[in-house]
Amino acid sequence: MLTEHDLKDTIRQSVAIALAEDIGDGDITAQLIPLTQSGHARVITRQSAIVCGTDWVNEVFRQVDPEVQLTWHVHDEQAVVPDQLLFEARGKARSLLTAERAALNFLQTLSGTATISRHYADLVKDTGVRLLDTRKTLPGLRRAQKYAVTCGGCFNHRIGLYDAFLIKENHILACGGIAAAIQTAKQNEPGKPVELEVENLAQLEEALAASADIVMLDNFSLEDMRTAVKTTAGRAKLEASGGINEDTLYAIAATGVDYISIGALTKHCQAVDLSLRLI
């Protein structure tokens, strides 16, 4: 799970990289504006969304010019409507315009991730299933997008390759079988969750016999998912995965699986349309 410390480090590093690639050795267009000229900017959304990324925006302006003053009118996880005022910024006009694109890039991308996550979460809100993200994230924005997923009401799968096992077909083949893979995982990293992907009910039985903590049901039919839930009966957590979309989601949740992982939460996000104007 992400910690507050993880996010603080991530935000500082991500913002520094974003500003370096955008500003380079100087914003030559902003230099057209007198250095002493002050500005007041307002940022609105042009579409409905779930807000996410306020801390990234704060850090962008802090790194560009710590004297810029921001006034937020919304907060992360808040639902907003078209033309709603999100925040205001006051300071040197040069600073406001230099920071604009990096700040809005973070806010529009993370809000887009939170918005699609809220959409999917609402589809199964009357069930007990937890919707999980995947590692199909924008390069360099893994932790940021996973934070955005939680702002939308969904949950995080493992953060990366280091915090939990996910043993798939190629791992099983290379390790010499399901039991051997699970046993080795538990010996190598005791205490870390061991999840194994299975493609049929026979493999599920093997995974349960080897004491997998979580079993991923890859592209199972609804009938086989229901059978898997009965077979497992609390011996492990079950996660449904594979080509799941908003049309198939509810029926899968109704089978009784514990988790459903959806790559679309992070890889299909559409940036929210935002606008910054000096007034």
Side-chain angles (χ1 to χ4, degrees):
M1 295 296 292
L2 289 172
T3 67
E4 185 177 350
H5 182 267
D6 288 333
L7 280 177
K8 284 183 178 179
D9 285 344
T10 292
I11 293 168
R12 284 193 295 267
Q13 294 167 8
S14 296
V15 166
I17 292 170
L19 291 176
E21 69 181 3
D22 199 30
I23 299 172
D25 60 1
D27 180 352
I28 60 175
T29 310
Q31 290 171 14
L32 300 175
I33 303 168
L35 180 60
T36 57
Q37 183 172 326
S38 297
H40 174 197
R42 290 163 53 92
V43 174
I44 65 167
T45 175
R46 289 189 168 139
Q47 65 186 95
S48 297
I50 302 300
V51 174
C52 181
T54 58
D55 285 341
W56 280 261
V57 173
N58 292 339
E59 182 65 14
V60 167
F61 281 99
R62 188 194 70 79
Q63 290 192 24
V64 169
D65 181 353
E67 293 185 359
V68 170
Q69 296 181 341
L70 300 184
T71 302
W72 283 96
H73 299 278
V74 297
H75 55 79
D76 283 0
E77 303 184 21
Q78 181 174 336
V80 294
V81 297
D83 299 322
Q84 185 166 342
L85 177 62
L86 304 184
F87 72 92
E88 298 175 81
R90 290 178 171 85
K92 293 178 181 177
R94 282 190 182 187
S95 300
L96 300 184
L97 297 179
T98 295
E100 173 187 1
R101 179 42 51 203
L104 295 192
N105 280 351
F106 282 114
L107 191 61
Q108 69 187 19
T109 301
L110 298 185
S111 293
T113 302
T115 300
I116 192 172
S117 296
R118 179 68 58 85
H119 171 67
Y120 274 91
D122 284 346
L123 293 176
V124 292
K125 62 184 178 182
D126 61 342
T127 73
V129 76
R130 285 191 168 201
L131 302 185
L132 305 178
D133 55 25
T134 70
R135 288 168 44 243
K136 297 172 183 176
T137 53
L138 295 173
L141 287 180
R142 169 71 55 80
R143 292 180 179 182
Q145 279 198 290
K146 281 185 172 284
Y147 167 72
V149 163
T150 65
C151 286
C154 295
F155 298 85
N156 295 149
H157 204 285
R158 59 180 179 163
I159 303 302
L161 297 172
Y162 55 88
D163 58 326
F165 290 96
L166 179 47
I167 303 168
K168 295 194 173 188
E169 179 182 10
N170 287 329
H171 300 102
I172 293 169
L173 181 63
C175 289
I178 287 174
I182 293 175
Q183 181 181 9
T184 302
K186 289 180 177 289
Q187 289 174 346
N188 286 356
E189 296 284 350
K192 289 192 175 180
V194 178
E195 180 171 2
L196 185 132
E197 179 186 73
V198 300
E199 297 178 347
N200 52 57
L201 292 170
Q203 289 183 338
L204 171 63
E205 291 284 7
E206 288 187 67
L208 294 174
S211 300
D213 300 307
I214 307 168
V215 180
M216 177 183 286
L217 310 177
D218 182 40
N219 286 299
F220 270 43
S221 67
L222 292 176
E223 180 180 356
D224 281 351
M225 283 188 202
R226 286 188 283 267
T227 300
V229 169
K230 292 178 182 178
T231 299
T232 303
R235 294 155 65 191
K237 297 291 186 182
L238 293 179
E239 174 186 336
S241 181
I244 297 167
N245 57 49
E246 56 187 308
D247 296 325
T248 60
L249 180 63
Y250 192 87
I252 293 171
T255 65
V257 294
D258 301 285
Y259 309 116
I260 300 174
S261 54
I262 306 174
L265 298 183
T266 51
K267 73 187 182 82
H268 290 171
C269 75
Q270 181 176 358
V272 173
D273 189 6
L274 306 177
S275 175
L276 180 148
R277 287 290 182 269
L278 290 177
I279 58 173

